Amino acid sequence: KENLERGRNKAVSETVAQKPNQSIEEETRRRRTFAIIAHPDAGKTTLTEKLLLYGGAIQLAGAVKARKNRKAATSDWMEMEKEKGISITSAALQFEYSGHVLNLLDTPGHEDFSEDTYRTLIAADTAVMVLDAGKGVEPQTIKLFKVCRDRGIPIVTFINKMDRPTKNLFVLLDEIEKVLGIAAVPMVWPIGTGVDFSGVYSRKDKSILTYDKTPGGSQKSSFQTSGVNDPELDSRFEDWVIKSFREELELVEGGISEFSQEDFLESKITPVFFGSAVNNFGIQLFLDEFIKIAPPPLFFPLKDGSRLDPITTPFSGFIFKVQANMNRQHRDRIAFLRVTSGKFERGLNVLHGRLGKSVKLSSSFAFFGQDRNTVDEAYPGDIIGLVNPGTYAIGDIVATSKVPDLKGLPVFAPELFATISSSDTASMKSFRKGIDQLAEEGILHLFSSQTIGGGLPIIGAMGQLQFEVFRRRLLDEYNAPSTITILPYAISCWIGQEDLAKVPSSANLVTDRGGRAALLFDTEWDKGYFQKKNPEITLLDYPPSA
Ligand code: G4P
């Protein structure tokens, strides 16, 4: 309590020193913090690379490309991550474009890493959904989309691979509407698809960006039209291509509403762009429009449904990712913080909400691969890495004055469970340390139980790969070989403290890291049966405080 009071007083004196500053507003308004969501192979890596090229971060682009091998076997994936250190060691890439500062959040690409990806999305103000024009809406896209929608994160769609055979474009738009439940509003319309793909037409200003295939690549140029019936279109494009383009556009203009910024911000519509990332086609047009429509980090959601004003509120931020052993030489842990309000300055004293004490934010970095640069100041929407000697956990909020009640991070109930044991008694200590630190990163759930698993720690994940990576990291980073034994459960439900005494002794009772009780079930049927037999116990899909 004393600590809390001291922390508060200190933090308040800092706040007074931080005068309201015109530049906070300017800096906030020019920022766009976003994440790309996609099913593996849709072109997320390629698009990221091209976006960085436009941002002038050319030297980074090749490194991003190397990440694509994540899709290979686990071991290759781990090697790749270590070697290139991109996905693991960078939470956000910052680049400038046309007077704007773009923070592109890095979302791990592998399907099994969904939980980490989901959490990262919470730090984004906009999501870019990349679809493969030949495949449409795929399973991973649906999951990620739902997280964005639940959070009220507006979504911009980029339909990629237009140079390849595509699904019927109206079927694609229909799929977005039916499967995802959001109206798709094309901002541009393609002229031809696949081998006939010849360019895109901007509905807003009636200009055309042409896509000319040339031996060894493609070229683009743009020209203004007076509209869809401009005779210049006939002279520039093949007859059959322009004929069907005109028919399609008539359907679009007749049946699909215009873009509305309000509807977009309310996630009622998703503006749709078409292009080809690998051919660097349609990206600039997309980016130019994106910076206009994507919201700046102006209002972060609070628990009570209201919003935090980043300009008038003194510095605050929250931890959305914790990463151990980012740099093998440093052997440290890094907590990634998203600034939600005010200006961050290195050395700032802040109040740590969970610990109730004052902490100094002295070691703040921006990362790319193994490189780290000290960050001296940051603004709302920016991501900074803080050296974490165990001070920060995912979901922690820090602030110079009152700690804001930010809307919490979603917790996902694991669906796969296993016991984990050390296979080398000599490394027991580092095994325990590793388990603790890696669980703190949030890469999987850690439970203990007196009834199941023979007293061994129980790990819970959403995918098998999470287990593999966990074991691998225990070995590599903590020198702790381990064995895992899969448990038969597939469902976990939390229960409140008040129901604990009512749980029958036959139940599969476990306790999570936060000391909260949960029950594990083999199947939905088992869960239903339990609920029927024990109607007085409330089964929660998420931990009580989440
Ligand atoms: P991901 O991060 O979403 O998993 O996808 P990634 O960018 O790695 O792209 C997956 C594959 O799709 C890559 O091919 C990439 O080159 C290709 N691709 C991306 N955008 C386009 C596009 O607009 N048109 C076409 N035709 N292909 C595209 P790959 O065979 O896996 O690698 P590579 O050898 O071609 O580099």
Side-chain angles (χ1 to χ4, degrees):
K1 215 172 164 195
E2 230 176 57
N3 267 345
L4 184 69
E5 206 43 50
R6 227 179 295 139
R8 241 181 221 140
N9 289 339
K10 197 154 183 8
V12 169
S13 60
E14 291 280 339
T15 316
V16 178
Q18 189 194 328
K19 293 199 178 67
N21 190 339
Q22 170 74 19
S23 81
I24 294 184
E25 173 155 10
E26 279 167 22
E27 291 297 336
T28 306
R29 288 193 184 280
R30 73 190 194 106
R31 273 161 170 76
R32 301 289 182 272
T33 300
F34 68 107
I36 302 180
I37 59 172
H39 189 86
D41 229 33
K44 188 176 81 170
T45 313
T46 315
L47 182 64
T48 303
E49 179 187 296
K50 303 301 178 197
L51 290 175
L52 292 177
L53 283 169
Y54 280 104
I58 296 167
Q59 73 280 16
L60 308 182
V64 176
K65 190 78 179 155
R67 294 190 308 169
K68 70 204 330 283
N69 282 0
R70 274 178 318 208
K71 284 167 282 172
T74 313
S75 54
D76 296 351
W77 180 81
M78 287 301 290
E79 288 312 322
M80 185 57 71
E81 291 288 14
K82 259 191 290 164
E83 209 182 298
K84 297 289 173 197
I86 302 301
S87 169
I88 275 193
T89 60
S90 64
L93 304 166
Q94 190 177 64
F95 59 99
E96 280 208 45
Y97 179 75
S98 200
H100 290 76
V101 176
L102 284 89
N103 292 308
L104 170 50
L105 290 159
D106 190 38
T107 46
H110 199 286
E111 302 179 48
D112 276 0
F113 268 71
S114 31
E115 190 164 357
D116 206 8
T117 308
Y118 295 156
R119 289 222 198 85
T120 298
L121 287 177
I122 308 311
D125 296 315
T126 316
V128 174
M129 175 167 77
V130 181
L131 300 181
D132 180 331
K135 295 187 176 146
V137 177
E138 296 179 84
Q140 187 74 352
T141 332
I142 302 174
K143 283 201 216 166
L144 295 163
F145 175 87
K146 279 191 179 144
V147 178
C148 295
R149 202 185 36 198
D150 289 352
R151 274 305 277 201
I153 299 171
I155 295 153
V156 184
T157 303
F158 185 84
I159 299 190
N160 190 31
K161 305 199 187 182
M162 288 302 294
D163 58 312
R164 307 252 306 145
T166 69
K167 281 188 167 181
N168 176 297
L169 300 179
F170 291 99
V171 169
L172 271 174
L173 298 184
D174 207 42
E175 228 175 70
I176 296 175
E177 302 216 14
K178 294 235 166 71
V179 181
L180 302 177
I182 189 167
V185 177
M187 306 294 274
V188 299
W189 194 256
I191 303 169
T193 62
V195 284
D196 291 334
F197 183 51
S198 316
V200 289
Y201 171 85
S202 161
R203 285 180 72 196
K204 195 168 78 177
D205 61 18
K206 301 186 174 127
S207 64
I208 284 182
L209 184 68
T210 61
Y211 173 76
D212 303 307
K213 273 157 292 206
T214 54
S218 64
Q219 282 185 342
K220 49 186 180 296
S221 58
S222 60
F223 68 97
Q224 187 61 44
T225 72
S226 59
V228 64
N229 292 321
D230 195 320
E232 184 151 4
L233 299 185
D234 300 283
S235 59
R236 291 236 193 188
F237 303 104
E238 299 286 356
D239 286 353
W240 73 90
V241 174
I242 209 65
K243 184 169 176 280
S244 55
F245 162 72
R246 284 187 173 129
E247 284 166 9
E248 287 165 6
L249 199 67
E250 204 180 315
L251 287 173
V252 171
E253 301 293 7
I256 301 178
S257 53
E258 296 271 320
F259 171 78
S260 139
Q261 180 74 8
E262 206 180 310
D263 288 350
F264 163 62
L265 294 181
E266 286 175 10
S267 301
K268 288 185 186 154
I269 60 165
T270 174
V272 178
F273 294 83
F274 295 87
S276 168
V278 81
N279 291 302
N280 196 5
F281 185 82
I283 314 282
Q284 192 172 6
L285 204 152
F286 163 79
L287 205 48
D288 285 340
E289 207 54 35
F290 179 81
I291 53 172
K292 284 187 213 141
I293 62 175
L298 275 180
F299 298 97
F300 202 85
L302 293 169
K303 261 196 189 124
D304 64 6
S306 66
R307 308 226 147 198
L308 178 76
D309 185 335
I311 296 159
T312 56
T313 315
F315 169 76
S316 70
F318 72 99
I319 307 293
F320 65 97
K321 177 170 171 158
V322 175
Q323 179 72 57
N325 301 334
M326 298 209 13
N327 184 328
R328 308 195 108 223
Q329 279 148 12
H330 293 268
R331 278 232 160 247
D332 53 10
R333 283 181 286 162
I334 299 294
F336 289 99
L337 176 138
R338 140 112 197 204
V339 180
T340 42
S341 65
K343 181 178 176 183
F344 164 82
E345 276 165 294
R346 193 158 63 88
L348 208 60
N349 276 303
V350 294
L351 186 63
H352 185 305
R354 181 175 53 90
L355 302 179
K357 66 173 189 181
S358 173
V359 289
K360 193 177 168 85
L361 304 179
S362 42
S363 311
S364 44
F365 299 101
F367 289 87
F368 193 84
Q370 295 298 320
D371 301 332
R372 54 172 77 185
N373 297 317
T374 296
V375 172
D376 290 321
E377 50 184 52
Y379 293 90
D382 288 349
I383 309 299
I384 49 177
L386 300 166
V387 171
N388 182 23
T391 315
Y392 308 104
I394 286 167
D396 281 351
I397 304 168
V398 296
T400 44
S401 57
K402 190 173 166 286
V403 175
D405 228 355
L406 303 177
K407 193 171 166 191
L409 298 183
V411 176
F412 298 89
E415 293 162 9
L416 264 180
F417 301 86
T419 55
I420 184 157
S421 57
S422 167
S423 12
D424 171 19
T425 41
S427 60
M428 237 4 234
K429 212 172 144 203
S430 49
F431 170 78
R432 289 221 181 88
K433 184 174 164 202
I435 290 220
D436 257 11
Q437 290 192 353
L438 293 176
E440 182 187 296
E441 263 184 49
I443 67 167
L444 39 66
H445 293 257
L446 185 62
F447 299 99
S448 60
S449 173
Q450 296 188 333
T451 49
I452 55 175
L456 291 172
I458 296 168
I459 49 179
M462 296 182 78
Q464 179 76 28
L465 185 71
Q466 269 169 281
F467 288 161
E468 302 295 327
V469 171
F470 192 72
R471 274 188 67 219
R472 180 73 184 244
R473 290 189 57 190
L474 273 178
L475 185 65
D476 283 359
E477 296 166 22
Y478 298 90
N479 210 5
S482 61
T483 311
I484 64 165
T485 309
I486 301 287
L487 294 167
Y489 315 110
I491 293 163
S492 49
C493 294
W494 275 263
I495 53 169
Q497 201 61 29
E498 64 286 359
D499 285 343
L500 198 52
K502 303 174 204 157
V503 175
S505 58
S506 58
N508 303 313
L509 184 66
V510 295
T511 308
D512 72 8
R513 283 183 75 234
R516 293 165 298 209
L519 296 172
L520 307 185
F521 300 100
D522 290 17
T523 61
E524 273 298 334
W525 189 89
D526 291 321
K527 178 182 158 188
Y529 186 76
F530 178 90
Q531 187 69 96
K532 217 164 119 195
K533 289 273 173 201
N534 303 279
E536 69 288 1
I537 297 178
T538 311
L539 297 178
L540 308 162
D541 290 337
Y542 305 107
S545 63

